[in-house]
Amino acid sequence: MTGSSGAPEQPGTPTRQTGDNFAGGMATSAGNAHSLGKNLLPPPDDTKLEKRRDWLSNTMKDRGQTMKFFELLGYLGLPPVQDPFENVAPQLFQSLAESAPFLNKDKMTKARMDRSTTLQPSGVFENSSFFEASKENAVTAYFQSLVDVMDDEAATHNASSSQRGGDGKLVPRYMYDLADHQTKEVPGSEGLKMDLVFFYRRVPANISNVHIIVEAKLAEYNGDIRPKDFAQIADYQYSVWKAQRTRAFVPILFLHGSQLDLIIFTRGHLYRMKLGSICYSTQIIRKHDINNVRLTMARLYYLITLPSERFGHICDVSQEQQYLRFVRNPGEDSVLATVESHLMPVVRPHDSSDLLSIQGYIKRFVHPRGRLAHVFRTSFRGETAVLKLSWTPVDRMPEGAVYELLQQASVGGIPAVHDYGLVIANLFGYRLEYLVLEDCGLSIEDYLMAKHKGGLDSIELYNSVKSIVRQALRCLILARVKGGILHRDISLGNIMVDCDGTVRVIDWGYAKVLDSTSLDVGAVNIAERNALLETTARRWAYESRKVLGNEEAHDHITGTQLYMSIPVLAGANIRGLVDDVESLFYVILHVLARLQPNVDDAACGFDQHANKSLAMIRAGCLSDEPSFLRFFGISTCSNKLRKLLSDLRKFLFVNSDGYIASRLIVDASTPRGVVASLESHIDAETMSLLSVKDGDMLTPKKSAMQVPSNRPPKQPYRKSSSITQSLSNVGVSMGDLNLASSSLGKRSRHAEVTEEYDEEYPFGSESKRSKSQDSAAFDS
């Protein structure tokens, strides 16, 4: 696969071509990224066909670009030629092209040679059944017949070449099964009826075995594809992304009229290649028409004979793979690796200890584009482990590189990394990395629910929460002070607790590595750190300054909405440690609300609002110290636990001027962090780290790479102890407060979407759900 170790070097990411969107009537400007959040969200019931397709269209409508066939081959690390058989059998399908039919409105009929053409049709299709079919059935029947006769032609050519001996050149054979699904759904595809499907020759034939989808339309689209047809095609590729874990991209052959296109769906974009005419649109054909059809046939046959690891996957999936092995070159200062697939473990333990099962897949939401992570429960060298395969933009920080930096800074409270590497360095602007990490136990919610359900007043619950807060805070503070790293996605599934109560902060895939201008000189040796950043960048094949600058420039919205800090929700494009701590605060409140004996299934309303509105509602709910827990759904807890939560609130939202949450909406750099309020809840060493430079490191700061802020100008601020007045100050009505006044309750789908907007990926990155059954794994 392109970009893998041992594969040809891939050219850079394809250049953007403006005006090449091909979803007709759908091209729009990216607009203000902050207003696009809800476009990321799947419909509440994505089993509804029309709603799902509307969502897919809105999500992908401006992603289309065109590309030439030979350019595509270059990006895949294949010989970039116009005719893939020009050096083997340049006239391989000449006789088929001469006999190709004419598409006459809605039927296939025989074509006739122009008088000046002396060629005589071979009659290959003389008695074919597709002449009896009509409309799209005629097109698909012809396509099926064509694939069969092309394979026969290849077999005849190879037999003739073998007889000649010597340097006789062979062409590949067609290695898939082609099935018609126009009238019956593809098993496992949620009811989708695809016109034709190329399957891997595995049993049973279902969506997990799909190689290439063929969609046929009678109308010919020389320009934009009709929105309804585009939505249908997008839905097909979405089903493949969800079902196949080793996918690198999804190819779809689009047969419209006499024309054949290839559409490639990658994680970032979709590319349309016009392969050419596969039959004739006029009854009288000339020599150059025949040459065009022959070339289209050659391109089609070449594509459908490519092995799966060269066309669509990261490894060979021609058979049902169950285990993966990642192989890095020993002794090389690089993390590039190749991936091998295996059917079953080798019997000898020393041969199978590094095989990783992909049978234990942890079901999770798969967004059709942007970041994507597949997570599996497995074992590695005799230990329980988690395998994570992550697609991330090449101009963002690899998660494996973040773990390296955390380990170098001796940051505790993160999972042990057993193995890691880079499988694809750059495929259409995305990289694929793998991580093998220790199994960290249960999510904070599952852990506390199992241990303390119904014991809200117990000293044991207080001790558990205090221990979790202490350990998680220490990890986040060490990461910031010693490593110069912010997590940026603290959420319910990213705080893990094992049976001994040991806490691990996981999923650093959205972490931000600060540049030297944002660090505290007293805590970090800047020169040593810069050298470490460069070394890590070389190992992980990215440009350090470019990645760090991009993180600075596009920092404004990253995280899971329900746990985002007030400044982040309000659109601040500077981040600090306090934002991660604030997210941890909301996670604790959320879990405690779920532990209440009478949980209100109607969510407290936090997940029913756009980001800016949610920031204002939170500011109002937190304004009154005696009653803020009630607004977060916590009616019962011990006095010690109440004090812990009140002290966290004071640390986050109080400074010498008093309550500042509403001010944070318009000025993220407002100093906050009353360190003394945490003194009785964290250990002395962590306390000393928090006090670096008198707490200055708690305040988010611009770096030398920081882009100008788009925040609104500062507004006058008036202190008020009245919750109603505070809500009024930030523009929140009592109606909004009533909506948010019960408990966090049951999480909605929309509450669990990780958002990350930037100019390069304006419709966001990976969207996720951290459901209870998923939370023992690594969210991304």
Side-chain angles (χ1 to χ4, degrees):
M1 176 53 62
T2 307
S4 302
S5 177
E9 184 71 19
Q10 179 192 295
T13 305
T15 304
R16 284 177 173 268
Q17 303 175 29
T18 58
D20 285 331
N21 299 298
F22 54 85
M26 293 186 179
T28 61
S29 169
N32 184 344
H34 290 234
S35 67
L36 297 175
K38 297 302 178 184
N39 290 345
L40 268 177
L41 304 174
D45 183 1
D46 68 3
T47 60
K48 301 295 185 182
L49 184 66
E50 294 304 320
K51 289 185 177 180
R52 183 176 71 240
R53 289 183 174 178
D54 286 345
W55 168 62
L56 286 165
S57 293
N58 289 332
T59 303
M60 309 182 73
K61 60 187 176 182
D62 67 337
R63 298 285 91 191
Q65 300 179 30
T66 58
M67 183 184 291
K68 292 184 168 71
F69 175 77
F70 69 91
E71 292 175 330
L72 169 69
L73 299 184
Y75 286 117
L76 298 180
L78 299 165
V81 295
Q82 290 279 8
D83 184 344
F85 300 126
E86 62 185 0
N87 295 323
V88 179
Q91 298 299 306
L92 179 60
F93 298 124
Q94 181 68 26
S95 62
L96 301 187
E98 293 170 9
S99 303
F102 156 53
L103 181 58
N104 181 13
K105 293 183 179 179
D106 61 353
K107 292 184 71 69
M108 291 288 183
T109 61
K110 294 180 181 178
R112 299 201 305 269
M113 297 287 184
D114 180 79
R115 291 181 180 180
S116 61
T117 304
T118 58
L119 299 173
Q120 294 296 321
S122 63
V124 174
F125 301 110
E126 189 70 30
N127 298 312
S128 296
S129 60
F130 61 75
F131 287 115
E132 306 301 321
S134 62
K135 298 185 178 179
E136 289 177 5
N137 288 335
V139 177
T140 55
Y142 167 62
F143 185 90
Q144 286 182 288
S145 179
L146 176 62
V147 169
D148 290 339
V149 296
M150 284 195 300
D151 191 48
D152 292 341
E153 194 81 2
T156 300
H157 167 83
N158 289 344
S160 176
S161 297
S162 298
Q163 289 175 359
R164 290 196 299 270
D167 60 351
K169 297 179 180 179
L170 305 180
V171 296
R173 292 295 303 278
Y174 162 57
M175 62 182 72
Y176 305 101
D177 287 333
L178 181 61
D180 187 331
H181 283 276
Q182 295 178 85
T183 58
K184 61 179 180 179
E185 65 184 59
V186 175
S189 67
E190 298 178 355
L192 299 180
K193 296 178 180 178
M194 305 162 182
D195 287 338
L196 298 169
V197 177
F198 287 94
F199 285 107
Y200 309 117
R201 288 173 176 164
R202 305 189 308 224
V203 177
N206 55 35
I207 191 66
S208 297
N209 299 344
V210 168
H211 179 50
I212 305 174
I213 297 167
V214 183
E215 179 62 18
K217 299 296 178 186
L218 194 61
E220 190 168 301
Y221 296 102
N222 291 320
D224 292 342
I225 300 174
R226 190 173 62 168
K228 184 177 180 180
D229 295 338
F230 173 74
Q232 185 178 16
I233 293 171
D235 201 13
Y236 292 160
Q237 65 85 31
Y238 179 46
S239 67
V240 174
W241 272 121
K242 290 193 295 183
Q244 301 185 23
R245 325 301 180 204
T246 58
R247 269 288 170 186
F249 58 84
V250 179
I252 292 183
L253 289 167
F254 182 46
L255 184 54
H256 53 107
S258 64
Q259 301 297 307
L260 181 65
D261 294 351
L262 172 66
I263 302 175
I264 296 285
F265 287 83
T266 71
R267 291 311 306 166
H269 296 86
L270 43 149
Y271 300 93
R272 181 181 180 183
M273 282 124 279
K274 299 182 178 181
L275 301 181
S277 301
I278 206 166
C279 59
Y280 299 107
S281 57
T282 57
Q283 189 167 19
I284 306 300
I285 57 175
R286 292 166 292 181
K287 190 171 183 179
H288 75 271
D289 297 322
I290 298 172
N291 289 334
N292 290 339
V293 170
R294 183 202 60 78
L295 180 59
T296 304
M297 292 178 176
R299 291 173 174 177
L300 168 63
Y301 189 74
Y302 180 71
L303 292 176
I304 64 175
T305 56
L306 287 173
S308 57
E309 67 270 25
R310 290 300 234 167
F311 196 64
H313 283 269
I314 63 173
C315 57
D316 178 15
V317 296
S318 57
Q319 300 184 68
E320 186 68 52
Q321 82 284 1
Q322 298 173 332
Y323 296 84
L324 300 180
R325 172 183 280 136
F326 298 92
V327 183
R328 294 198 0 224
N329 295 326
E332 287 191 6
D333 187 23
S334 169
V335 298
L336 282 174
T338 55
V339 57
E340 304 169 354
S341 61
H342 296 263
L343 292 177
M344 61 183 64
V346 182
V347 175
R348 296 186 301 277
H350 68 275
D351 288 337
S352 61
S353 60
D354 59 349
L355 290 182
L356 295 158
S357 171
I358 57 174
Q359 292 174 291
Y361 181 68
I362 299 169
K363 188 176 181 181
R364 56 204 291 111
F365 177 68
V366 175
H367 200 273
R369 51 172 298 270
R371 295 195 195 218
L372 172 64
H374 292 303
V375 182
F376 310 85
R377 285 193 181 90
T378 184
S379 62
F380 183 73
R381 296 175 182 170
E383 296 185 26
T384 58
V386 171
L387 168 64
K388 184 175 183 180
L389 299 175
S390 300
W391 288 96
T392 55
V394 295
D395 60 352
R396 311 312 287 266
M397 199 75 176
E399 186 175 5
V402 175
Y403 275 116
E404 278 196 5
L405 296 173
L406 290 169
Q407 290 172 334
Q408 290 285 343
S410 300
V411 175
I414 62 173
V417 182
H418 300 315
D419 192 18
Y420 57 82
L422 196 61
V423 177
I424 296 176
N426 186 350
L427 181 66
F428 298 110
Y430 276 72
R431 72 169 66 87
L432 175 64
E433 61 176 305
Y434 74 94
L435 287 165
V436 184
L437 305 138
E438 70 169 316
D439 187 344
C440 298
L442 300 173
S443 73
I444 179 177
E445 179 180 26
D446 289 343
Y447 176 81
L448 291 179
M449 291 283 283
K451 192 172 183 180
H452 300 291
K453 183 70 173 176
L456 292 170
D457 294 322
S458 68
I459 190 65
E460 290 80 10
L461 174 61
Y462 163 72
N463 288 335
S464 292
V465 173
K466 180 180 178 178
S467 176
I468 291 170
V469 169
R470 174 178 291 194
Q471 293 180 69
L473 278 176
R474 178 171 175 77
C475 176
L476 296 175
I477 292 167
L478 278 171
R480 167 63 180 86
V481 179
K482 298 294 187 182
I485 295 171
L486 301 173
H487 188 283
R488 298 199 301 179
D489 189 22
I490 296 297
S491 61
L492 202 63
N494 291 341
I495 306 296
M496 309 292 291
V497 191
D498 69 13
C499 58
D500 297 328
T502 301
V503 173
R504 294 285 185 269
V505 179
I506 67 170
D507 188 12
W508 294 79
Y510 285 92
K512 175 181 177 179
V513 177
L514 301 172
D515 79 290
S516 58
T517 63
S518 303
L519 296 181
D520 309 292
V521 178
V524 178
N525 185 311
I526 300 299
E528 289 182 1
R529 185 174 185 276
N530 286 342
L532 177 61
L533 290 178
E534 290 300 326
T535 301
T536 304
R538 284 194 300 272
R539 283 167 51 76
W540 286 88
Y542 66 87
E543 187 179 335
S544 179
R545 183 165 182 82
K546 180 179 179 181
V547 167
L548 294 182
N550 188 63
E551 294 289 358
E552 291 287 348
H554 303 111
D555 187 39
H556 37 286
I557 299 289
T558 300
T560 304
Q561 187 198 40
L562 194 56
Y563 312 107
M564 286 179 182
S565 71
I566 287 174
V568 172
L569 288 169
N573 60 0
I574 55 174
R575 301 285 282 264
L577 172 62
V578 281
D579 295 298
D580 281 347
V581 176
E582 187 177 341
S583 293
L584 175 63
F585 177 60
Y586 297 137
V587 167
I588 298 296
L589 293 176
H590 192 151
V591 176
L592 292 176
R594 297 287 290 157
L595 284 170
Q596 299 295 303
N598 298 309
V599 179
D600 186 352
D601 282 342
C604 76
F606 292 158
D607 57 354
Q608 305 297 321
H609 291 269
N611 291 351
K612 192 71 173 283
S613 298
L614 177 54
M616 293 187 288
I617 289 171
R618 281 232 178 100
C621 290
L622 289 161
S623 63
D624 189 51
E625 195 277 337
S627 60
F628 82 93
L629 289 179
R630 177 170 59 87
F631 292 112
F632 284 85
I634 302 171
S635 58
T636 304
C637 70
S638 67
N639 289 333
K640 285 190 172 184
L641 188 51
R642 184 180 298 274
K643 184 177 188 309
L644 170 60
L645 299 173
S646 294
D647 287 344
L648 280 171
R649 171 193 172 275
K650 183 177 180 181
F651 172 76
L652 292 166
F653 305 113
V654 175
N655 67 12
S656 58
D657 293 331
Y659 179 69
I660 58 168
S662 55
R663 189 190 304 180
L664 292 170
I665 294 173
V666 294
D667 185 7
S669 62
T670 300
R672 58 173 173 158
V674 180
V675 177
S677 64
L678 297 182
E679 188 170 6
S680 62
H681 307 296
I682 59 178
D683 59 87
E685 184 181 357
T686 307
M687 188 72 181
S688 66
L689 291 172
L690 267 179
S691 303
V692 170
K693 295 180 65 177
D694 299 323
D696 181 56
M697 71 92 167
L698 291 173
T699 303
K701 291 175 285 190
K702 293 182 180 180
S703 75
M705 301 179 184
Q706 184 70 50
V707 295
S709 172
N710 291 321
R711 296 190 310 278
K714 294 183 180 180
Q715 301 295 324
Y717 170 74
R718 283 178 286 175
K719 289 190 288 184
S720 172
S721 60
S722 164
I723 188 169
T724 306
Q725 182 60 44
S726 295
L727 285 166
S728 177
N729 287 344
V730 295
V732 180
S733 69
M734 288 305 296
D736 284 330
L737 181 59
N738 289 335
L739 181 61
S741 64
S742 55
S743 74
L744 281 171
K746 187 167 60 180
R747 287 165 287 154
S748 78
R749 300 159 57 117
H750 292 188
E752 296 154 5
V753 173
T754 292
E755 299 181 74
E756 179 181 58
Y757 308 130
D758 55 41
E759 294 172 5
E760 182 66 16
Y761 304 95
F763 277 93
S765 298
E766 185 193 23
S767 176
K768 73 176 180 186
R769 303 169 191 175
S770 51
K771 293 187 180 297
S772 177
Q773 64 266 33
D774 297 346
S775 57
F778 290 77
D779 272 342
S780 68

